[in-house]
Structures are given as C-alpha cells and as structure tokens.
Amino acid sequence: MTSANLFVALRNAFPADLDACAVETETGLLYSWRDLDDATAMVANLLESLQLPAGARIAAQVEKSVESLILYLATLRAGLVYLPLNTAYQSAEMAYFIQDAEPAVVVCSPDRFGWISKLAFTAGTQYVLTLGDDRTGSLLQRAAQCSRQHTPVAVHADDLAAIIYTSGTTGRSKGAMLTHGNLLANAQVLKTYWGWRTPEQGGDVLLHALPIFHVHGLFVAIHGALINGSKMIWLSKFDPQVVLSKLPQATVFMGVPTLYVRLLAEPGLTPAQLCSMRLFVSGSAPMLLDTFIAWQERTGHTILERYGMSETVMLTSNPYHPHDGERKGGTVGRPLPGVTLRVCGAQSQDLATGEVGDIQVQGPSVFKGYWRMPEKTAEEFTADGFFKTGDVGRIDSDGYVTIVGRSKDLIISGGYNVYPAEVEGYINAMPGVAESAVVGVPDTDFGEVGVAIVVGKPGATLAPHAILLQLKATLANFKVPKRCFVVGALPRNAMGKVQKALLRAEYGPR
Ligand code: MLC
Ligand code: AMP
C-alpha cells in the first residue's frame, strides 16, 4: 500500500548518487538529494509528532524557497494534505480559506504571524508555525530536533494529497481535492510524453521560475523534475534577466505566456543563450499565435503548449516527439494518454470535428470533488462521469484541441484566475456603489486584465482611483482591475443581464 504515496514514487526516482545536486538556487545554495531526503524526513517527523488526525490539512502561505518545497514534500511523506495559498492573498481571503478548510496546521511567513495566527486560532487551527524565505522560523527550528529517519506513511491512491482553491463563478472559492493517485498518474504520463531524460540518459535540468501555490509550478514542474531524478535550478521569482543568465545550464523551462512575452522583450534572448535547452512548455492561459511564432523565429525553439486545470492537472499537450506529430501554435494539442476529452453541445450531445462546444473530460488525474461542496461537485460532473471544464473549444481532424473561450465568467491574467463575481462583490459593498461589472480585456503583457465599470447610487460621487485603492487594500493584487470607469448605467439585454461583451468592446484597448 505504501507505493500509493506520491512521495514514495518521487523518492524512488532519486538518482543513485544521493550526494549529487538536486536543487540549486539563484544565490548559489546547493541541496543534494540526500538533503531533500533528510529534510523531508525531519519535517514529516515534526508533523507526525503533532499527532494530527488522518486527512489533516497543512495550509502554507509562505514565500517560494527550497524549504517551502521541502514542506510540501514532507506533507506528502507524512500522508497529510497540502493546502498552498498564494502570498498575494490578504486577510479576508485568508480568513475564508482557513475557515473553509479548517487546517490543523498553518505555516506562514514570520512577518504575517500576528494576523494569520489570530485568524487561524479563532478558526480552530491547532498549530501556527512560521517559515521565512531565508531558512528562519519555528517550522525549521522544531524540525531540527527531529530524526532524519522516517518511513513514508502508507496511503491509498484515493487519499487526498492536496487541496487547491480555485475561485468560483459565484465568488465563493472552491477547494479542488486532488489525490495521490491523481497527481502520480499525471506525473508519470508527462514524464514519458515530454521525453524527460533520466540521469542515466544524460539527465535534464529544469529551470523553475513559477510560483509554487498553483498547479503549474507546484505539480507539473516539480513532479516532472523529481519523478525523473532531474536537478532543478530554483528561482524565488520570475525575473527575465535571471532566467536568461541561468538558461545556458538548463534543458527544460515552463512558463505562463506572460513569461515568454517578457523574455522576448530582452535583447539578450538569443539562440546561443538557449544552446542546452530541449523543451519550452507554456500553459495556464492562452498563448497568442504571435508569441508562439516570435519565439520560434527568435530562438529556433517551438514552444509546447498544453492545457490543464486545478481540478484535473494536465489534460492535453502538443507532442514532444516529432513522430507523435507537430506542435501546432494556437492549439493545446491532443488529450494525454488516459484522458478522454469530448466537445458537447447545449443538449450534452457529442459534437462533430471542428464544431465549437463545451469541453468535458474524464481520466485518472480528474479530481475527487470540491472540498465540502457535494452539490457543487455533482453539478460539475455529467451523469456519465465527465467533468465539465467550463472551457469552450473544438477538436480538429488531427485530434488537436483549440480553446476558443470559456463558458465560466473568468479572467486569466498573467496565468492567475480572477473571477469577476468576486471582485464585483467587493466593489458593490463599497459605500455609494449601486452596481458594477468587471470584464477582461486584452493586454500585451498579462494576456488579459480586468477593467471595472461602476455605477454610483443616486447622488453619490465615486472616484475611480479611490475604488481601485480600496480594492488593493483588500484583495490579492493580481485581482485588482487595472482600470476603473464610473458610468451612469450598465448595458443590459432584454433579460436584464449585463452585456459584458459590449463593455469589453467599449473599455478594451482601442
Ligand atoms: C502581478 N500583478 C498582476 C499579476 N501579477 N496583475 C495581473 N495579473 C497578474 N498575473 C500586479 C502586481 O501586483 C503589480 O501591481 C502589477 O501587477 C505589476 O506587477 P509585476 O511586477 O509586473 O508582476 P510580477 O511580480 O512580475 O508578476 C507577474 C508574473 C506573475 C507574470 C511573473 O503574475 C506570475 O508568476 N504568474 C504566473 C501565475 C501561475 O503560475 N499560474 C499557474 C496557475 S495553474 P501593483 O499594483 O503593485 O503595481 C493553472 C492550471 C494550468 O492555471 O493549466 O497550469
Ligand atoms: P486554474 O483554475 O487556475 O487551474 O485555471 C485553469 C484554466 O486555465 C482552464 O480552465 C483554462 O481556462 C485555462 N488554461 C489552462 N491552460 C490553458 C491553455 N494552454 N490555453 C488556454 N487556456 C488555458
């Protein structure tokens, strides 16, 4: 039974030479595979010493560091459930997640301990520990007293490994429950499909520049490297110049489209700089064909675009191996082995090749459901067990999927999801506001950004910059609309529904 623990699969892939470098940071710190093994054992022993019940959640709102990676792996190792939280989340957002998930342990940055511990203890959390990005904090202090010997906890494939919160169309975030089996199945498929080279085959080096609060950086990137015994060059944040300086030592890079747009703006991006690279992966948001072509022309590399979600991990991918087909820009490739993807019409009927409809999926990485939301879970699955992604697309005659839009009211900005309903809720609660609409409009850097259109109550005087300032004080910064307009009325159709398409046309870039 132990083998169902994702950590065991990752640990089994460590190279024979445990003293080889597993992770190198931008500041030159080196962690061997033995360091990862020992440190995850110590943190897992600490977590076990707390005698938490099975299925206890370990919530972490910490800066990216190798120690935060260790915390994630140790949570898996201890058979507990990891709950990563974006460091951009502010107190109202954190209060919601903590009340909803009821974590037994919250790990936060030392500078947030005051307000987070208050929230957490009020919500019934038993332990609040700290972890700084410079190896400080009570988590490591306490783990230092623990043994380096630890047997990974036996779990079933169906046991939870992580909960990833995704915002909801009604404004209430939903926790997607992912199991050890979901994550392991996806990691194994991608290892083969993307041609990862084991150390015996010459090895790969992943340049890791994404945040590790979400599926792309946490699962796709980290699992990809670890299940292959590949070294990671670990950047605390994305900085195009640092990425360029490290690319000559790397073979694989993963990014959201904004990262590629920003790298293309660097004069130092040349084919010579990428001489050791074999694979550039893009996903989490649509990549413009212009970016895909510009990258090809400038670097000689064809970006591999793939598609996934928090609820499903990776679903489709353009081919890596030429014998599997070409990488078609503007498409997200074909369903990965084991994934069944269909495009359905309004009556749930399967549509013919080329027809546009709702994308539904089934496969081993599709999640178990939303945390404590059985009705929502039931709503999002069809009677025959397919998950309704909320994405709209078509499949071409070669089986490649193109995402053409979303049926969910969602903005994807720089790879982060922003649900207009949530932002509108905050604006509507401001004094003097009658109603508001938040829409996504094209943006050269972030792909899409939010714009708020606000209607005041009779007699109220509203200042757009004051609305944005209030939002900044309350919400994660990436959710704050980039522009705000105060208008007399919102356009509505005959049914009384706000016509967001008209707003997008009017307030988008001219
Ligand atoms: C930062 N800002 C954003 C933003 N990121 N605004 C909108 N959208 C974003 N994504 C805000 C900042 O707070 C700042 O506001 C202003 O915009 C400019 O910030 P910046 O300095 O340019 O931002 P930076 O710190 O460089 O971050 C940009 C970024 C980051 C692109 C590097 O957003 C990022 O790492 N994105 C990746 C997200 C990701 O990993 N997604 C995967 C989800 S998983 P101000 O007011 O302070 O000036 C998923 C499933 C799948 O979707 O398929 O993978
Ligand atoms: P999240 O909820 O953060 O996991 O975001 C998942 C959503 O990101 C999907 O439902 C898609 O709308 C979008 N997405 C992910 N990858 C791609 C891609 N390659 N192209 C277009 N949209 C994507």
Side-chain angles (χ1 to χ4, degrees):
M1 193 167 87
T2 311
S3 61
N5 189 319
L6 171 64
F7 176 82
V8 173
L10 302 177
R11 173 65 187 82
N12 286 345
F14 283 15
D17 179 8
L18 287 179
D19 293 318
C21 180
V23 187
E24 177 184 336
T25 69
E26 70 228 88
T27 56
L29 291 177
L30 302 177
Y31 294 73
S32 67
W33 294 96
R34 193 185 308 282
D35 292 334
L36 285 191
D37 198 19
D38 289 350
T40 55
M42 292 161 86
V43 176
N45 277 321
L46 166 63
L47 294 174
E48 277 186 43
S49 73
L50 305 178
Q51 300 194 316
L52 307 174
R57 278 76 60 207
I58 311 297
Q61 193 197 37
V62 288
E63 298 297 338
K64 182 178 175 186
S65 67
V66 180
E67 286 67 30
S68 58
L69 163 67
I70 288 165
L71 172 61
Y72 166 55
L73 296 174
T75 304
L76 294 177
R77 187 170 184 153
L80 299 166
V81 182
Y82 192 64
L83 168 46
L85 294 164
N86 196 319
T87 46
Y89 294 143
Q90 304 208 48
S91 58
E93 292 152 314
M94 288 297 289
Y96 173 79
F97 295 127
I98 291 174
Q99 281 157 18
D100 192 58
E102 296 186 314
V105 179
V106 172
V107 184
C108 65
S109 308
D111 59 346
R112 295 177 180 212
F113 179 78
W115 64 268
I116 289 188
S117 60
K118 215 179 211 173
L119 279 180
F121 289 135
T122 309
T125 293
Q126 292 151 274
Y127 302 94
V128 180
L129 301 170
T130 57
L131 176 62
D133 58 2
D134 53 357
R135 288 176 286 159
T136 53
S138 56
L139 177 85
L140 298 182
Q141 276 164 14
R142 292 185 60 171
Q145 321 296 322
C146 297
S147 164
R148 289 180 161 80
Q149 304 299 318
H150 178 267
T151 304
V153 170
V155 299
H156 293 284
D158 199 34
D159 286 339
L160 290 197
I163 297 179
I164 306 288
Y165 272 90
T166 71
S167 299
T169 39
T170 55
R172 201 172 152 224
S173 284
K174 300 164 291 179
M177 300 190 290
L178 292 153
T179 65
H180 285 261
N182 291 147
L183 299 176
L184 181 56
N186 213 237
Q188 283 168 332
V189 158
L190 293 177
K191 173 172 159 60
T192 310
Y193 203 75
W194 289 351
W196 283 90
R197 298 178 310 203
T198 60
E200 296 72 40
Q201 294 163 324
D204 267 313
V205 178
L206 172 75
L207 181 52
H208 194 302
L210 284 165
I212 58 166
F213 332 112
H214 302 285
V215 162
H216 200 161
L218 184 63
F219 299 149
V220 188
I222 290 174
H223 296 169
L226 294 184
I227 203 153
N228 197 54
S230 289
K231 171 180 163 178
M232 287 189 270
I233 300 176
W234 190 258
L235 307 186
S236 57
K237 66 188 278 284
F238 173 75
D239 175 328
Q241 296 199 351
V242 177
V243 168
L244 277 187
S245 73
K246 298 290 181 189
L247 275 173
Q249 299 144 45
T251 63
V252 180
F253 179 77
M254 298 185 191
V256 300
T258 301
L259 272 51
Y260 290 99
V261 169
R262 292 189 181 183
L263 284 168
L264 279 166
E266 290 295 321
L269 179 75
T270 59
Q273 200 70 10
L274 313 182
C275 55
S276 62
M277 288 297 297
R278 72 167 183 89
L279 177 61
F280 287 95
V281 175
S282 177
S284 310
M287 169 162 273
L288 291 180
L289 196 53
D290 284 354
T291 311
F292 177 85
I293 293 170
W295 190 268
Q296 215 167 27
E297 289 177 352
R298 179 90 168 269
T299 69
H301 283 268
T302 306
I303 290 171
L304 178 155
E305 185 166 1
R306 91 310 178 271
Y307 157 63
M309 300 180 70
S310 303
E311 289 91 337
T312 63
V313 209
M314 295 302 100
L315 292 167
T316 73
S317 173
N318 270 282
Y320 172 70
H321 294 287
H323 58 75
D324 285 331
E326 59 166 327
R327 294 181 205 162
K328 292 193 201 179
T331 81
V332 294
R334 298 197 188 96
L336 285 164
V339 172
T340 309
L341 182 147
R342 66 189 186 193
V343 171
C344 295
Q347 269 72 49
S348 287
Q349 77 282 19
D350 275 13
L351 295 180
T353 302
E355 287 191 317
V356 171
D358 295 328
I359 296 177
Q360 300 182 351
V361 295
Q362 201 172 44
S365 62
V366 175
F367 74 139
K368 203 171 169 171
Y370 293 112
W371 173 253
R372 291 182 179 163
M373 287 189 182
E375 298 84 13
K376 191 74 200 154
T377 303
E379 253 173 54
E380 300 299 331
F381 281 87
T382 63
D384 60 347
F386 278 70
F387 174 63
K388 303 174 194 169
T389 63
D391 292 307
V392 174
R394 59 170 184 268
I395 306 179
D396 73 12
S397 53
D398 297 326
Y400 286 64
V401 178
T402 300
I403 314 273
V404 301
R406 301 163 206 134
S407 58
K408 51 198 172 190
D409 190 11
L410 162 69
I411 300 167
I412 303 185
S413 186
Y416 283 138
N417 286 7
V418 181
Y419 277 84
E422 182 185 4
V423 185
E424 289 160 4
Y426 279 96
I427 300 176
N428 295 346
M430 290 178 191
V433 171
E435 60 172 348
S436 64
V438 172
V439 294
V441 302
D443 180 79
T444 46
D445 183 29
F446 289 123
E448 204 177 8
V449 291
V451 173
I453 300 102
V454 184
V455 179
K457 285 183 179 154
T461 311
L462 296 175
H465 73 275
I467 294 174
L468 293 182
L469 274 180
Q470 281 188 66
L471 288 176
K472 261 189 191 173
T474 322
L475 279 176
N477 53 20
F478 62 87
K479 296 182 192 167
V480 178
K482 299 289 180 218
R483 296 188 287 281
C484 177
F485 299 89
V486 174
V487 301
L490 296 176
R492 291 184 183 275
N493 65 15
M495 312 290 290
K497 202 168 171 250
V498 175
Q499 290 174 298
K500 289 202 164 178
L502 288 183
L503 292 172
R504 262 180 230 115
E506 188 164 350
Y507 296 99
R510 271 154 240 185

